[in-house]
Amino acid sequence: MDGERQSFVVALFSTVGAAYLFFFGIPALLRQDYLLGVLLGLSGLAAIINYLVFLKIRNYRTASAVVVAITAIFSIYLLITGGVEGTGPLWCYVAIPMILFLYGPRTGTMVLALYCIVLALLLFIPGNSFQTADYSFAFKSRFLTVFLAVSIMSFVHEYSRYKA
């Protein structure tokens, strides 16, 4: 993948991602959801630091890994806890195009497959003590089905862009 495009995507996801994290972190603090608010704020701060370090050393592979790690860890946290009124799992979808854009179709598919396996395990392991949100079987199965559909469509798009 060309470095200039990947550098742009790292910069975009770091800065826009940080803005989103702060945008949702402040209301979380105001409604006294301190854990979520602090985690959002720290994740936003990590994204900004990642971007500043990236500007200095220009290592887009490391910066990409940090962006994906922040997104994956935080979306997994939201899946486990349910986020605000059970909407947390929706944020898992953000990682799909991000992973494929940053890693390309080959490596991105492997990273995305691992991410999907982790999500499925967290949702379907019986008696999972990590899971604090209560999702119905219908929700879990549809969530993963849509996750796979969006992953396939994103892969096709990224693969066709890569081939062009």
Side-chain angles (χ1 to χ4, degrees):
M1 177 178 297
D2 59 299
E4 185 177 317
R5 179 179 174 271
Q6 195 163 22
S7 296
F8 172 75
V9 173
V10 165
L12 180 68
F13 280 127
S14 292
T15 55
V16 173
Y20 264 88
L21 291 165
F22 289 130
F23 178 77
F24 286 105
I26 293 168
L29 292 172
L30 293 175
R31 61 173 189 276
Q32 298 178 350
D33 189 347
Y34 298 118
L35 179 59
L36 180 59
V38 168
L39 288 173
L40 283 162
L42 289 175
S43 296
L45 184 61
I48 290 171
I49 291 169
N50 181 56
Y51 178 63
L52 294 174
V53 169
F54 171 71
L55 288 176
K56 183 151 181 84
I57 64 173
R58 304 304 283 182
N59 184 332
Y60 60 82
R61 291 176 199 244
T62 301
S64 296
V66 172
V67 168
V68 169
I70 291 169
T71 304
I73 291 167
F74 201 75
S75 62
I76 287 170
Y77 168 79
L78 291 172
L79 176 81
I80 290 169
T81 64
V84 177
E85 297 180 19
T87 62
L90 298 174
W91 290 99
C92 295
Y93 296 117
V94 172
I96 297 168
M98 179 186 301
I99 289 169
L100 290 168
F101 292 166
L102 290 172
Y103 288 120
R106 179 178 293 148
T107 303
T109 298
M110 290 186 284
V111 172
L112 196 53
L114 177 63
Y115 180 61
C116 186
I117 289 167
V118 169
L119 296 177
L121 289 173
L122 288 170
L123 287 171
F124 287 104
I125 288 179
N128 179 355
S129 60
F130 293 114
Q131 190 77 31
T132 58
D134 187 29
Y135 304 116
S136 68
F137 178 81
F139 176 86
K140 293 184 222 182
S141 60
R142 283 166 177 77
F143 169 79
L144 283 177
T145 302
V146 172
F147 189 92
L148 289 171
V150 173
S151 296
I152 291 166
M153 288 184 286
S154 296
F155 170 81
V156 169
H157 175 267
E158 186 61 17
Y159 183 77
S160 64
R161 190 212 58 80
Y162 177 78
K163 283 295 187 183

